[in-house]
Amino acid sequence: MTSLVLLNEHTCFGGVQRFYEHASEQVGLPMKFSVFVPPQASQGPVPVLFYLAGLTCNEETFMIKGGAQRLAAELGMLLVAPDTSPRGAGIAGESDAWDLGVGAGFYLDATQAPWSAHYRMESYITDDLLPLVLQSFPARAERVGIFGHSMGGHGALTLALRHRELFRSVSAFAPIAAPALCAWGQKAFNHYLGSDPSSWAEHDASALMRQLQTPFPQGILIDQGLADKFLAQQLLPQEFEAACQQANQPLNLRRHAGYDHGYYFISTWMEDHLRFHHRLLST
């Protein structure tokens, strides 16, 4: 397993907030991620919760803006946040648009050149980062949850559904719930996966859910702001809601008047999500 390079660390609520870089075998480039280690980890392994950030974000965004460390320290949960894409892949145009390329990896393994050489975010998280975290930190391998926001909410839902053996709990804030049906998802899928929509369904949470029966019997939590400017055209939570009904999947989809797409919204409901995961990861 590759070694970690500690970039910086900060004492925080009795625990420690750290930022790391390491060489990723799956991506083929250095990758960065952040970890909050709660004080309880000094006494033994604790549950671990992965957070996947949205478009334009990086490994710092959640730890700075999410307001999660105080409660994670109280509950004894290890928090992990990876970057949102490879950096420095050298692909022509990869930084030209905010919704494709750098900062927009969509948490899948690209199959189309030139993206396929390095844009392997699904394998990075499941085959590189998760094993690295379990080896390097006092984390309980059988108590791993995942959540995220927007593009990261898409990633959390799809990775949880595709790797149910790895993730015990899943939730999301304003996820791109049916990417095959919206402009963000169609643009990314065309470039990363090719023009055949049949390949897109494997990375669309609503399409995946329709193929399953009660994959998470203890429930899925989603929060969505009704003042979110992306709600009608890009997020489409009603598609995932309908898919869950078809799959007999318990879903708590909470719609909040007045809340938009940003971290003021996310931080408002962060405690509910941490307690949701703590309940499922502690039993």
Side-chain angles (χ1 to χ4, degrees):
M1 187 67 69
T2 185
S3 60
L4 290 173
V5 176
L6 178 64
L7 301 177
N8 54 73
E9 65 179 353
H10 313 273
T11 301
C12 183
F13 294 105
V16 59
Q17 177 65 59
R18 294 177 177 148
F19 297 89
Y20 289 96
E21 183 175 80
H22 71 111
S24 167
E25 179 179 343
Q26 292 294 332
V27 172
L29 294 167
M31 291 292 291
K32 293 180 179 179
F33 69 97
S34 57
V35 176
F36 174 70
V37 182
Q40 294 88 339
S42 64
Q43 305 301 315
V46 296
V48 55
L49 182 58
F50 281 77
Y51 178 88
L52 307 184
L55 292 163
T56 76
C57 296
N58 60 28
E59 76 285 350
E60 296 182 331
T61 310
F62 167 69
M63 297 301 184
I64 294 172
K65 295 183 176 182
Q69 291 95 334
R70 178 194 61 79
L71 188 60
E74 174 187 321
L75 297 176
M77 299 181 70
L78 191 87
L79 303 176
V80 181
D83 202 351
T84 53
S85 77
R87 309 274 170 169
I91 297 173
E94 69 173 343
S95 298
D96 289 353
W98 65 275
D99 55 356
L100 181 73
V102 173
F106 270 80
Y107 304 103
L108 53 78
D109 289 354
T111 60
Q112 303 299 301
W115 307 99
S116 54
H118 298 292
Y119 277 68
R120 297 177 47 79
M121 289 301 294
E122 177 174 8
S123 290
Y124 168 66
I125 292 168
T126 60
D127 297 344
D128 276 358
L129 184 57
L130 177 54
L132 180 62
V133 167
L134 295 178
Q135 173 188 280
S136 305
F137 301 93
R140 298 181 63 183
E142 78 286 4
R143 295 290 188 272
V144 180
I146 191 167
F147 69 148
H149 168 236
S150 194
M151 177 186 72
H154 143 78
L157 293 172
T158 57
L159 294 187
L161 292 172
R162 288 168 58 82
H163 302 276
R164 298 191 299 282
E165 75 284 1
L166 299 179
F167 300 107
R168 190 182 180 98
S169 59
V170 58
S171 71
F173 299 95
I176 305 174
L181 302 180
C182 74
W184 283 345
Q186 290 167 358
K187 180 177 181 178
F189 287 178
N190 265 297
H191 283 81
Y192 296 147
L193 302 175
S195 59
D196 182 1
S198 64
S199 65
W200 301 358
E202 299 175 14
H203 302 280
D204 182 304
S206 297
L208 285 169
M209 182 61 76
R210 291 189 190 98
Q211 302 170 16
L212 302 171
Q213 280 294 310
T214 324
F216 287 89
Q218 293 179 294
I220 295 173
L221 173 63
I222 293 178
D223 280 299
Q224 174 63 60
L226 292 179
D228 188 326
K229 65 181 180 180
F230 303 115
L231 173 58
Q233 299 299 321
Q234 304 286 8
L235 304 180
L236 310 178
Q238 69 275 10
E239 295 290 334
F240 189 71
E241 186 175 40
C244 285
Q245 291 174 351
Q246 180 178 323
N248 295 313
Q249 169 60 52
L251 171 68
N252 187 7
L253 172 54
R254 309 191 301 184
R255 295 171 168 92
H256 304 284
Y259 286 89
D260 60 21
H261 195 67
Y263 271 83
Y264 297 111
F265 154 67
I266 295 169
S267 60
T268 299
W269 309 108
M270 181 60 64
E271 179 171 351
D272 289 359
H273 282 250
L274 293 186
R275 292 194 182 280
F276 168 80
H277 286 277
H278 180 260
R279 175 174 60 85
L280 298 184
L281 297 177
S282 299
T283 55

